[in-house]
Amino acid sequence: MDQSVAIQETLGREENCIVAAQCDILLDNYSESRLLGLVESAKEHAIFIYSHRRMAITADDVSLEDIIPITLDFAVVEVSSPEQLVVVGADTRVRMSYKDEELELKLPFGSHSRLFLCEVNKAWSDVCRVPTQVPRFEWIKKYKKAVKGQEAMKQAIAPLEVLSNKDNQHQKIEKLSEKKGSLEKVRSPNSVLQKSKGNSTQDNQSISSREERDDLVRSSSHTTSNKAQILAMPQFGLRDNLIRCELLKNEDSYTYLENFSFFLGTYNVNGQTPKESLRPWLSCTLTPPDIYCLGFQELDLSKEAFFFSDTPKELEWLKAVYEALHPEPKYALVKLIRLVGIMLIFYVKEEHAEFISDLDAETVGTGIMGRMGNKGAVAIRFRFHNSDICVVNSHLAAHVEEYERRNQDFKDICGRLQFRQLDPTQPPLTIMKHNVVLWIGDLNYRISDLDVDSVKDLITKKDFETLHSYDQLKRQLDKEAVFVGFEEGEIDFQPTYKYDTGSDNWDTSEKCRIPAWCDRILWKGKNIQQEHYKSHMAVRTSDHKPVSSLLIIGIKRVNSEAYKKTFEEIVRNIDKMENECIPSLSLSKRELHFKDVKFMQHQAETLSLFNDGQVPCQFEFIQKPNESTYSKPWLTANPSKGFIAQGGSMDIDLEVFVNRSTATDLNCGKQEIEDILVLHLERGKDYFISVTGNYLSSCYGTSIYSLCHMREPIQDMPKEILLQLAEKSPNDDIATAEKSPNDDTATTEKSSEDDTEKPLDIPKELWMMVDHLFRKAIDQEDLFQQPGLRTEFAEIRDCLDSGMPDSLPGSNHSVAEALLLFLDALPEPVIPFSFYQQCLECSSNAAQCAKVISMLPQYHKNVFNYLAAFLRELLKNSASNRLDVAILATIFASLLLRSRKKQDFAEKTKTQEFFQHFLT
């Protein structure tokens, strides 16, 4: 998950977070997790260090702790030991120094860390090029004032002379904390890690729980010298890209196929802890598989797991898995990746470990508002010999009727889950850009158009073929609505959901769920043969049954002699090219127009590039003078840089997307859909591309004050009026509220309003959504917790903005999410920023909290009271809608009571405590 978005929300408009990376700061006897952001402003760079208490999704999740300017006094060096350098999946240890201070960090293996280090070195190199130009760093002063928790960081920062006596400190391996227990017995006595260490003692092999589940894979191609190049800012020039391109085209001349067995498994554990052996599932094959890819869902259903990243159940299930792997060979843990309750584990036989390379892992959440990770996917991509493989474990939307939402989740995962490449000139890798894609998980597709008795009757008769014809996923596959190009084996086992926990009995609860094949395994690629596809009834821990599939996959292996011959021939041909040739491109168009751009509605236009020159070319969209990025924030080019061989072509998707950060100025006409892109060719000329469009104003991103002064739909309002209202709001409204009720100025303003048309008490758009939910969704199960459909949100938005039709379309979940998005997009929250600190200070006193609300601007106070009254009505029906005070406070407090800065954990808790007073 790209956490730079959360950091960017903490910054001003002049600053830009180039890249973010997770790390551990290494202290004397323990480590602490931090988030690093490389921030640029006015061509100066600094590393911002944030503490965080959960996945960094928004600014609320991070808190700025320290800032390290990148000047001539800055340095970064790798301090990994030789033993660690030969482990392909090992973390990277670096030492950052600034003047007389040092930090020792451990960055997790993966492309994000590689990219972060490359960008840091690039920034430092820029400083070194002009040593006489001393950076001033005036822009970081405003952030330094807001920095909290400096004392905690000082423990991690020591003078150079103190640390100089601890040269070997970085070679120590963290010991497992007593709280988490030891997993030493999980690792085999002859593990790859131990082999790489030669005569290391047993004591030196105790590692922390995080390291225990990290990558234990060694690669012969990863030596000390080339691993260290991560910090040397690798150069990817035209020659390198051309060689790679030609090698790819001639791959058949130096590779051959060899079959390997992949064991794929998926299991929704329903928040349970392991209660039985998993061997009936994981050791069901006679021959040990070469590779295990195992997906879990609903690992932990607690609210703590939903909002925070750690759960003890990760280690419990990892241990259960390891103990159940096929007993004959030794397996090495390559990677574990988890998003809340969605976990993917990747094991290989030890003898195959050295042939795993280009390993990376990513996550994407598709839960409410597209952020939460209770639904979504985790994925691992890797190269095995010469084949690129991607494994995805997903948990899609629940409930029988939500198959369209499941389709949308699949498309969101495919579009949003991307792997960064080591070569920064190359666009990110998507799931489908792999030779083989293996997709496992609780896809949640159900049986339609049959009642529960008919389904059970067909199961009793073992007529799975007839039953499968009613399966939603089969129907969607037949329509090519999802998983286009994927295959699934024949289903000749009974549905895997839903059972009474601990038994083989179908669901006997009041809901009596219809049995369904929720848990599925699909694949895409060539030279793949399925050996088995089955469920495992003997495993009874959950209300699901685990599923497995054994695939025999033809993997491309390299013939070294043939490869050497092909490589040398390619290099000879490149040497014959004349270096003097200037690269050239022809563009399909120089002007692009986006018509009727709407809030949160993606639009894209294709720009085709053709290399009409005599040599390959490398292109990049570059920033214009005095601008920090190559485009306005609502515009992106995908890819923004790349390589085109001679005579080749490439399509660039120019995408427009307006969100809460850009909508406000576009709504009122302060900004327009206008930009000029500069397309730069390395060793060539620049091309200028004009982007224009018209934006349809929306209530989303418009202030409460403005909306209360509009009796007509916003799209019927003249831009001049919208601009006037925007310039008055919210400051005029807040200033009025802060005056005494007896203040003559306030009375005069109210009189002037009476002379014209009286403003609305609350925005009509807000009333329409709340009224709809009050009338139709008061008993709706999982309201505000299950996402709606994007297509339905678009219809709701259009209805609110245009006034047509009179009633809101869409499901209750779509209207509920539309309401949350409305509150999230307000430029000034319901409780204005100026009241934030006061709310925190009185959060434990109900009377003081009520007093603060009484002081709010009138329109904001009306909205707060209206929403609180509605939520109290929902709680009266908690028996049917399953809502409680804690859930509603968690969801709404972060929307109604926001800070201009980041909320740390303590502040977030206080905002929830404040709002709870109004729900009871």
Side-chain angles (χ1 to χ4, degrees):
M1 183 176 289
D2 183 9
Q3 299 184 91
S4 64
V5 176
I7 293 178
Q8 188 62 53
E9 290 187 10
T10 72
L11 306 175
R13 291 191 176 184
E14 301 79 14
E15 288 82 53
N16 177 44
C17 179
I18 298 172
V19 64
Q22 199 82 27
C23 79
D24 285 341
I25 293 182
L26 304 180
L27 307 176
D28 286 339
N29 298 312
Y30 63 99
S31 63
E32 291 186 354
S33 179
R34 293 293 185 271
L35 185 62
L36 305 179
L38 178 62
V39 178
E40 184 271 341
S41 180
K43 298 184 178 181
E44 296 177 346
H45 297 79
I47 295 175
F48 281 43
I49 303 176
Y50 293 85
S51 60
H52 59 103
R53 292 295 300 268
R54 65 169 183 177
M55 292 173 293
I57 300 170
T58 69
D60 299 333
D61 305 324
V62 296
S63 180
L64 183 61
E65 209 168 59
D66 207 352
I67 300 173
I68 302 177
I70 296 181
T71 67
L72 290 172
D73 297 317
F74 171 85
V76 56
V77 295
E78 183 166 4
V79 292
S80 296
S81 66
E83 291 84 0
Q84 292 165 329
L85 285 168
V86 297
V87 181
V88 67
D91 297 333
T92 301
R93 286 192 172 195
V94 299
R95 182 175 291 156
M96 287 186 184
S97 60
Y98 176 69
K99 294 185 177 179
D100 60 345
E101 297 179 335
E102 277 192 354
L103 273 180
E104 192 163 312
L105 312 173
K106 182 175 67 178
L107 285 85
F109 176 82
S111 59
H112 277 294
S113 297
R114 294 197 301 270
L115 179 65
F116 179 82
L117 292 170
C118 286
E119 292 291 343
V120 168
N121 274 278
K122 183 179 178 182
W124 183 75
S125 299
D126 290 343
V127 173
C128 295
R129 287 194 190 101
V130 193
T132 57
Q133 185 176 330
V134 181
R136 300 180 63 186
F137 287 102
E138 294 291 332
W139 56 279
I140 69 172
K141 292 181 179 178
K142 57 187 176 185
Y143 297 105
K144 289 242 179 188
K145 292 179 181 178
V147 167
K148 297 180 180 180
Q150 291 284 358
E151 292 304 315
M153 278 304 298
K154 286 178 181 177
Q155 297 175 11
I157 300 176
L160 279 169
E161 56 270 21
V162 174
L163 286 184
S164 63
N165 296 323
K166 301 181 180 181
D167 291 337
N168 296 322
Q169 182 176 346
H170 66 268
Q171 297 181 7
K172 294 180 181 177
I173 299 175
E174 295 173 11
K175 292 189 176 180
L176 187 62
S177 74
E178 294 178 1
K179 292 182 180 180
K180 293 191 176 180
S182 175
L183 267 183
E184 217 27 62
K185 58 186 177 182
V186 172
R187 199 172 55 237
S188 66
N190 301 311
S191 72
V192 176
L193 183 60
Q194 288 173 320
K195 284 184 179 180
S196 71
K197 293 187 176 183
N199 297 321
S200 296
T201 65
Q202 183 70 25
D203 289 342
N204 285 338
Q205 289 157 9
S206 293
I207 55 180
S208 73
S209 59
R210 178 173 299 174
E211 288 174 317
E212 182 68 53
R213 52 96 169 167
D214 271 349
D215 320 302
L216 305 179
V217 184
R218 196 182 76 188
S219 169
S220 58
S221 64
H222 278 250
T223 63
T224 302
S225 58
N226 64 26
K227 174 78 181 292
Q229 286 177 3
I230 292 174
L231 292 177
M233 197 176 67
Q235 298 297 318
F236 297 92
L238 288 173
R239 184 183 180 88
D240 301 312
N241 281 322
L242 183 57
I243 290 173
R244 182 175 53 197
C245 182
E246 291 298 313
L247 281 171
L248 190 60
K249 285 196 294 186
N250 293 278
E251 189 178 43
D252 291 343
S253 66
Y254 59 85
T255 60
Y256 63 95
L257 292 180
E258 182 175 331
N259 288 334
F260 292 87
S261 57
F262 285 63
F263 185 101
L264 308 179
T266 178
Y267 192 13
N268 182 319
V269 298
N270 191 34
Q272 304 295 314
T273 55
K275 297 182 177 71
E276 57 191 334
S277 172
L278 300 180
R279 284 201 169 180
W281 172 36
L282 302 181
S283 295
C284 65
T285 59
L286 292 176
T287 305
D290 295 302
I291 288 177
Y292 278 98
C293 299
L294 306 174
F296 291 84
Q297 307 83 38
E298 295 190 356
L299 199 73
D300 193 333
L301 296 177
S302 67
K303 290 172 185 171
E304 291 77 16
F306 185 77
F307 290 106
F308 304 99
S309 59
D310 288 335
T311 170
K313 292 183 179 179
E314 175 182 305
L315 288 176
E316 293 171 0
W317 281 102
L318 177 61
K319 181 175 181 291
V321 165
Y322 187 84
E323 292 174 346
L325 298 178
H326 207 290
E328 293 179 18
K330 300 300 180 183
Y331 287 97
L333 175 62
V334 182
K335 192 70 180 172
L336 182 151
I337 180 76
R338 182 174 56 81
L339 173 67
V340 189
I342 310 170
M343 181 169 73
L344 180 58
I345 305 173
F346 174 25
Y347 276 99
V348 299
K349 282 183 179 177
E350 276 190 4
E351 59 263 33
H352 301 320
E354 63 179 293
F355 301 107
I356 300 287
S357 62
D358 295 352
L359 182 71
D360 201 5
E362 276 298 342
T363 68
V364 61
T366 60
I368 192 75
M369 296 174 70
R371 299 179 188 171
M372 297 303 184
N374 56 322
K375 293 293 188 292
V378 298
I380 296 171
R381 66 93 49 202
F382 59 96
R383 171 164 284 203
F384 186 35
H385 290 286
N386 218 50
S387 291
D388 291 320
I389 299 171
C390 181
V391 186
V392 183
N393 174 30
S394 67
H395 192 189
L396 308 186
H399 304 301
V400 175
E401 69 280 2
E402 295 290 344
Y403 67 90
E404 289 186 356
R405 173 71 216 193
R406 290 186 271 280
N407 293 355
Q408 178 178 296
D409 285 350
F410 168 78
K411 293 171 185 175
D412 279 354
I413 292 165
C414 291
R416 292 170 50 204
L417 200 150
Q418 297 182 333
F419 304 96
R420 294 181 185 271
Q421 299 201 63
L422 178 60
D423 180 353
T425 67
Q426 297 299 307
L429 280 174
T430 58
I431 292 172
M432 300 306 170
K433 291 181 180 178
H434 292 80
N435 303 124
V436 174
V437 180
L438 308 174
W439 200 299
I440 61 181
D442 180 357
L443 307 187
N444 251 324
Y445 287 94
R446 309 299 176 90
I447 303 293
S448 293
D449 304 327
L450 283 179
D451 59 35
V452 64
D453 292 330
S454 299
V455 170
K456 290 180 179 178
D457 183 56
L458 288 171
I459 295 171
T460 302
K461 296 176 180 177
K462 295 191 181 298
D463 189 357
F464 300 131
E465 183 177 356
T466 299
L467 184 60
H468 192 215
S469 66
Y470 293 91
D471 175 67
Q472 290 178 343
L473 180 54
K474 182 185 186 310
R475 292 180 173 182
Q476 296 305 303
L477 286 168
D478 291 344
K479 293 179 181 178
E480 296 190 342
V482 288
F483 290 101
V484 177
F486 280 80
E487 297 182 59
E488 183 182 23
E490 179 184 351
I491 295 179
D492 58 0
F493 52 88
Q494 70 182 48
T496 56
Y497 173 84
K498 176 179 183 181
Y499 296 86
D500 288 340
T501 302
S503 76
D504 296 333
N505 301 322
W506 296 115
D507 180 25
T508 57
S509 69
E510 183 180 347
K511 293 181 179 178
C512 192
R513 303 282 194 191
I514 298 175
W517 288 292
C518 291
D519 312 284
R520 310 290 273 269
I521 297 174
L522 300 93
W523 71 87
K524 183 177 184 179
K526 298 178 180 179
N527 305 306
I528 301 176
Q529 181 69 39
Q530 187 175 64
E531 292 290 294
H532 83 236
Y533 189 25
K534 58 187 177 184
S535 65
H536 300 270
M537 298 294 292
V539 182
R540 301 181 176 91
T541 298
S542 173
D543 57 355
H544 289 247
K545 298 296 183 183
V547 173
S548 70
S549 171
L550 185 68
L551 299 181
I552 306 301
I553 303 178
I555 296 297
K556 291 181 285 188
R557 295 200 64 169
V558 174
N559 181 311
S560 299
E561 288 299 320
Y563 176 84
K564 181 180 179 182
K565 182 179 178 181
T566 304
F567 182 86
E568 290 173 348
E569 184 178 349
I570 289 171
V571 171
R572 280 195 299 268
N573 291 334
I574 292 175
D575 288 341
K576 294 177 183 178
M577 288 186 177
E578 295 184 2
N579 293 328
E580 292 77 17
C581 291
I582 298 175
S584 173
L585 281 178
S586 61
L587 283 61
S588 60
K589 58 185 80 173
R590 299 292 183 96
E591 297 180 354
L592 295 99
H593 182 78
F594 293 86
K595 183 180 180 183
D596 295 343
V597 177
K598 299 178 181 180
F599 177 79
M600 283 188 67
Q601 181 165 303
H602 176 272
Q603 278 200 41
E605 291 284 340
T606 300
L607 172 67
S608 297
L609 308 180
F610 175 72
N611 184 351
D612 56 3
Q614 300 301 309
V615 291
C617 66
Q618 201 153 284
F619 70 86
E620 179 179 6
F621 288 96
I622 60 173
Q623 61 198 55
K624 299 179 283 293
N626 303 318
E627 294 190 11
S628 59
T629 57
Y630 68 82
S631 70
K632 297 286 179 64
W634 41 261
L635 176 64
T636 55
N638 185 26
S640 62
K641 57 181 77 171
F643 164 84
I644 306 177
Q646 179 186 356
S649 62
M650 181 178 289
D651 287 341
I652 308 294
D653 288 329
L654 294 177
E655 303 169 345
V656 169
F657 187 77
V658 176
N659 57 20
R660 63 174 183 171
S661 64
T662 53
T664 301
D665 287 347
L666 288 168
N667 282 335
C668 65
K670 284 184 181 179
Q671 296 285 335
E672 295 184 347
I673 303 293
E674 288 183 354
D675 201 2
I676 294 177
L677 298 178
V678 181
L679 181 65
H680 173 71
L681 286 191
E682 185 178 317
R683 299 192 302 112
K685 66 177 184 178
D686 293 340
Y687 300 82
F688 298 91
I689 301 158
S690 172
V691 177
T692 59
N694 68 295
Y695 181 74
L696 300 181
S697 298
S698 175
C699 62
Y700 287 85
T702 300
S703 71
I704 291 174
Y705 178 92
S706 296
L707 292 173
C708 285
H709 285 76
M710 297 180 209
R711 289 188 169 269
E712 300 299 319
I714 190 169
Q715 290 181 4
D716 291 344
M717 302 290 292
K719 285 282 187 179
E720 299 78 23
I721 301 298
L722 295 178
L723 185 58
Q724 290 175 15
L725 289 171
E727 289 175 343
K728 293 177 67 176
S729 67
N731 297 330
D732 288 18
D733 192 29
I734 294 172
T736 302
E738 290 172 346
K739 294 179 182 294
S740 165
N742 299 319
D743 191 292
D744 292 338
T745 308
T747 307
T748 304
E749 180 169 324
K750 187 175 187 307
S751 300
S752 66
E753 286 181 352
D754 291 338
D755 293 340
T756 60
E757 196 170 41
K758 185 178 182 297
L760 302 169
D761 290 331
I762 61 173
K764 58 189 178 301
E765 297 84 359
L766 175 68
W767 176 85
M768 287 183 70
M769 288 185 282
V770 172
D771 180 66
H772 175 101
L773 295 173
F774 180 75
R775 289 184 292 104
K776 299 184 178 183
I778 203 78
D779 296 323
Q780 178 69 57
E781 186 177 330
D782 293 334
L783 194 67
F784 295 116
Q785 297 174 84
Q786 180 174 322
L789 285 171
R790 187 167 300 122
T791 52
E792 292 182 349
F793 167 73
E795 294 172 354
I796 295 166
R797 176 205 59 216
D798 291 349
C799 174
L800 297 174
D801 292 340
S802 66
M804 297 293 289
D806 294 333
S807 60
L808 293 179
S811 68
N812 292 336
H813 292 300
S814 294
V815 175
E817 186 169 20
L819 173 60
L820 297 180
L821 288 168
F822 175 85
L823 297 173
D824 186 54
L826 288 171
E828 185 84 21
V830 175
I831 299 178
F833 293 121
S834 58
F835 289 84
Y836 177 77
Q837 195 60 41
Q838 195 173 350
C839 291
L840 295 187
E841 291 169 358
C842 69
S843 61
S844 60
N845 187 312
Q848 290 296 318
C849 292
K851 184 176 180 181
V852 172
I853 296 301
S854 70
M855 299 166 59
L856 296 184
Q858 187 62 51
Y859 306 119
H860 288 249
K861 180 168 62 178
N862 294 344
V863 168
F864 181 90
N865 289 331
Y866 182 61
L867 286 170
F870 165 61
L871 297 179
R872 288 195 296 270
E873 289 298 318
L874 284 180
L875 290 172
K876 292 178 182 178
N877 294 270
S878 59
S880 52
N881 59 35
R882 300 201 306 177
L883 291 170
D884 59 38
V885 171
I887 291 174
L888 290 180
T890 299
I891 294 170
F892 279 87
S894 62
L895 299 174
L896 304 181
L897 184 54
R898 305 199 307 261
S899 169
R900 291 188 187 277
K901 303 173 184 176
K902 287 61 22 231
Q903 282 182 320
D904 59 24
F905 179 71
E907 288 181 356
K908 195 171 187 64
T909 302
K910 287 184 178 181
T911 62
Q912 294 171 13
E913 183 182 15
F914 177 93
F915 190 54
Q916 283 186 12
H917 293 303
F918 302 91
L919 297 179
T920 56

